[in-house]
Amino acid sequence: MNMNEGEGLNGNEHPGERVGVAVQELLQLLGRLSAESAAALQWPQRLQALQQRLSSLASRAPDELLFVLIAGAGRLQPRYGLHHALATAAIVEQAGAVLGWPEHERRAVGLAALTMNLSIVELQDDLAHRERTLTVEQRQALAAHPARSAARL
């Protein structure tokens, strides 16, 4: 492969590959956070660090990040809920930058995106792989999730 074919950062790696690895790491971190209580040791700081890593990645490799996230959304994700939260946070980060939002506003919206469906991550995963309509219990869980997510935070 030569540079004209999109050769990457160290001479043999495509930039999208490195971003793909970073996205997988962020998904793992978000998965660990979503499984814990927000009262867990250093939870808010760890969430903020994750958002900062995503923001940095979005500024360094915006096109590659969106490609990795959008291409990943086209495949059945075992953790759809986490992928959706990460993709939303990346999109609002990039849109906010284009719109000239101050960094603190982009951070706040990014944190909201990362935690927006905190109480229904597992349900989202299940629903992403279903072909049937929702059960009454699933509809109730979806309707209650804003209050449940806020309570977890």
Side-chain angles (χ1 to χ4, degrees), residues 6-100:
E7 192 166 275
L9 305 173
N10 66 9
N12 62 9
E13 175 182 84
H14 190 278
E17 292 175 24
R18 184 172 286 179
V19 171
V21 169
V23 165
Q24 289 304 313
E25 291 171 358
L26 291 171
L27 286 168
Q28 289 173 356
L29 290 171
L30 187 56
R32 286 195 292 273
L33 286 170
S34 74
E36 297 175 7
S37 164
L41 185 63
Q42 303 288 316
W43 196 92
Q45 294 85 350
R46 291 170 32 226
L47 178 65
Q48 290 171 357
L50 185 152
Q51 188 277 330
Q52 182 56 46
R53 284 182 61 186
L54 179 62
S55 176
S56 177
L57 185 59
S59 67
R60 286 192 328 269
D63 294 337
E64 292 87 352
L65 177 59
L66 287 179
F67 173 79
V68 167
L69 290 168
I70 291 169
R75 292 179 260 132
L76 285 180
Q77 294 288 327
R79 296 304 311 260
Y80 168 82
L82 298 175
H83 185 268
H84 177 67
L86 195 64
T88 303
I91 290 167
V92 299
E93 171 65 33
Q94 290 185 8
V98 169
L99 293 170

Side-chain angles (χ1 to χ4, degrees), residues 27-28 30-32 34-35 72-73 75-86 114 116-132 134 138 141-142 145 152:
L27 286 168
Q28 289 173 356
L30 187 56
R32 286 195 292 273
S34 74
R75 292 179 260 132
L76 285 180
Q77 294 288 327
R79 296 304 311 260
Y80 168 82
L82 298 175
H83 185 268
H84 177 67
L86 195 64
L114 290 170
M116 66 184 170
N117 293 323
L118 195 59
S119 67
I120 59 165
V121 171
E122 294 82 13
L123 177 58
Q124 283 184 307
D125 296 344
D126 181 49
L127 295 177
H129 300 93
R130 289 180 67 99
E131 294 183 16
R132 298 173 290 190
L134 300 177
Q138 290 168 329
L142 287 173
H145 93 272
R152 280 193 64 185

